[in-house]
Amino acid sequence: MPSSSWPETVVTGVGVTSAIGQGQEAFLGALLNAESSFGVMQRPGRQKDSAFIGAEIAELRMPDAIDRKQLRRASLSAQVALATLGEAWQDAGLIDVDPIRIGLIVGGSNLQQRDMLLTREAYAEREKLLSPAYGVSFMDTDLCGFCSEQFGIRGLACTVGGASASGQLAVIQAIQAVQSEQVDVCIALGALTDLSHWEFQGLRNLGAMGSDRFAEQPELACRPFDRDRDGFIYGECCGVVVVESEASAQRRGAVPYARLAGWGVAMDANRQPDPSPEGEARAIRMALQRAGRAAIDIDYVNTHGTGAPLGDETELRAIQSCGLSHAYLNATKSIVGHGLSAAGAVEIVATLLQMKAGRLHPTKNLVDPIAPSLNWVRERSVASAIDTALTLSMGFGGINTALCLRSYS
């Protein structure tokens, strides 16, 4: 169904926290200069007779308005969510919006595995003394509680799990909440997925996570679409996108980043982690149809691009089959790492910031592309006016999503 059949939705605020920088300016600057920060991960609970490579947030700045007492009982995922939402809240100017007309969708599930592991280890011999707060904090909805309490959100709030498509799925759910007039503003938050050595080992044994090949050279390990890729490389991150009806934005005098022109969600009917080019292509075509756009209208595709051997090839087959070979392509994960539940939201933020800047970031470590004829942004950033962009996210369990963004004018 074309987007004209529904109320127009726009993005009026964004926030981002990642290992390459916190806040829009630092994040975009690092992206354009391809400044990654991969290394052997150091957080407690991340290693056990292992040396898993990833990118960890070095320092976190909290907004002044956040209650510091609450932070003492907040997990890493909750702290990063509050900091990132604070930036987006201020960016969108939500202070005067009726809190009953603001909603929150948290993208992600099983978000706090490392925190739970550390708690269980600390109380292994004294379970009876376990803090009552654990009875709440092990649930993903605790992030809804932290965020809604600190920012006074009184509209709808829930979590949505779509594996690595969770962040983008949260944005799509936020669009639907605004279009159905449940709220005027809906905040989509791709939450930081805080994993322990258990999850990393499982993902490594699955063949999804690298890197054996670059164990001694972490800066070279994350290389989506390169022939030497050997799996995704984890990266801590969180992205927030403020979705609003165009009518609400106009009433408030908010200046949108872009129009949320169309979206698609398609399932593969497959529990396994192997991707499907048909499912991915179907999501892309649904997004284009809803946006009322043809493939030739797409200037840029922000790929899912994880570095998984089969996943990258499958995604390129879908892109080519949809007639998008002409569009610029890059992979944000090559610099940021794979944020899992957060990835889709972070990549939407990356797309919006690139559109605003008129410049596309490089794809780091793309030395020998598996499809060299495509229109890659490789070693250096490229100046380009982007009117219409697609951003793609896929998740285990056969979940495929696509979102079409159009410049606001």
Side-chain angles (χ1 to χ4, degrees):
M1 183 178 296
S3 60
S4 59
S5 302
W6 298 94
E8 290 275 0
T9 54
V10 294
V11 176
T12 54
V14 299
V16 64
T17 303
S18 75
I20 64 169
Q22 180 180 355
Q24 299 174 28
E25 184 177 354
F27 180 70
L28 178 62
L31 281 180
L32 294 179
N33 292 312
E35 297 171 356
S36 63
S37 60
F38 297 109
V40 176
M41 291 185 282
Q42 301 297 316
R43 288 201 194 279
R46 288 270 164 87
Q47 309 286 357
K48 185 176 182 180
D49 301 322
S50 58
F52 297 122
I53 295 171
E56 297 175 318
I57 297 167
E59 183 179 0
L60 183 64
R61 300 185 310 277
M62 299 300 300
D64 292 338
I66 300 298
D67 184 350
R68 265 45 184 183
K69 292 181 180 178
Q70 299 298 324
L71 293 179
R72 289 200 293 268
R73 60 186 179 89
S75 67
L76 176 65
S77 296
Q79 291 181 42
V80 174
L82 291 171
T84 312
L85 178 49
E87 181 188 17
W89 186 275
Q90 183 175 10
D91 190 34
L94 298 182
I95 187 66
D96 294 324
V97 177
D98 183 352
I100 295 176
R101 300 301 300 165
I102 300 176
L104 171 68
I105 310 291
V106 174
S109 55
N110 306 310
L111 294 167
Q112 303 172 93
Q113 300 298 309
R114 185 185 67 91
D115 188 75
M116 289 192 290
L117 172 73
L118 294 176
T119 300
R120 289 167 180 162
E121 288 179 347
Y123 287 91
E125 303 300 326
R126 50 193 183 109
E127 292 182 15
K128 299 295 184 182
L129 299 178
L130 180 66
S131 169
Y134 186 77
V136 175
S137 63
F138 78 86
M139 301 181 189
D140 293 326
T141 50
D142 196 37
L143 270 67
C144 291
F146 265 112
C147 292
S148 61
E149 181 179 73
Q150 292 296 306
F151 291 91
I153 297 167
R154 296 182 181 275
L156 67 92
C158 65
T159 63
V160 55
S164 296
S166 295
Q168 190 163 121
L169 196 59
V171 174
I172 293 170
Q173 292 285 317
I175 294 170
Q176 294 174 322
V178 170
Q179 288 183 334
S180 62
E181 299 182 344
Q182 296 179 72
V183 289
D184 297 325
V185 178
C186 197
I187 299 163
L189 188 152
L192 187 151
T193 308
D194 188 11
L195 300 186
S196 75
H197 61 83
W198 281 101
E199 291 75 43
F200 288 135
Q201 192 62 61
L203 289 164
R204 175 67 70 84
N205 292 351
L206 188 64
M209 179 176 166
S211 167
D212 290 326
R213 183 172 297 169
F214 296 99
E216 304 303 320
Q217 298 172 292
E219 71 280 3
L220 302 180
C222 195
R223 46 198 318 118
F225 303 111
D226 188 81
R227 294 189 188 279
D228 282 337
R229 70 199 185 284
D230 70 344
F232 81 80
I233 304 299
Y234 172 78
E236 291 182 345
C237 58
C238 175
V240 175
V241 178
V242 179
V243 177
E244 186 166 0
S245 68
E246 184 177 28
S248 173
Q250 289 175 345
R251 285 195 303 269
R252 300 194 306 111
V255 180
Y257 282 81
R259 297 182 186 275
L260 294 156
W263 51 269
V265 178
M267 297 297 295
D268 295 336
N270 178 19
R271 182 239 177 187
Q272 302 305 318
D274 51 303
S276 160
E278 292 79 18
E280 294 178 17
R282 192 152 47 90
I284 292 170
R285 294 190 179 104
M286 290 168 69
L288 292 175
Q289 182 182 12
R290 280 195 171 91
R293 286 291 181 267
I296 195 63
D297 297 323
I298 302 301
D299 302 305
Y300 161 60
V301 178
N302 184 285
T303 64
H304 183 58
T306 65
L310 180 58
D312 285 0
E313 292 182 4
T314 302
E315 184 176 4
L316 293 186
R317 286 172 60 191
I319 287 170
Q320 290 172 306
S321 72
C322 289
L324 296 168
S325 297
H326 66 282
Y328 276 119
L329 304 175
N330 64 10
T332 299
K333 291 182 183 71
S334 69
I335 304 169
V336 177
H338 194 342
L340 302 171
S341 288
V346 169
E347 286 155 12
I348 291 170
V349 173
T351 300
L352 291 165
L353 294 179
Q354 288 175 99
M355 292 173 72
K356 183 178 180 180
R359 184 166 287 274
L360 299 175
H361 71 72
T363 304
K364 193 174 180 67
N365 295 324
L366 186 58
V367 177
D368 188 8
I370 56 176
S373 64
L374 293 179
N375 197 10
W376 297 105
V377 185
R378 292 180 62 176
E379 295 89 355
R380 296 179 178 83
S381 65
V382 171
S384 180
I386 304 299
D387 178 73
T388 309
L390 277 176
T391 177
L392 310 179
S393 282
M394 296 82 174
F396 286 174
I399 304 168
N400 307 289
T401 66
L403 182 68
C404 181
L405 301 163
R406 288 182 55 207
S407 63
Y408 191 84
S409 57

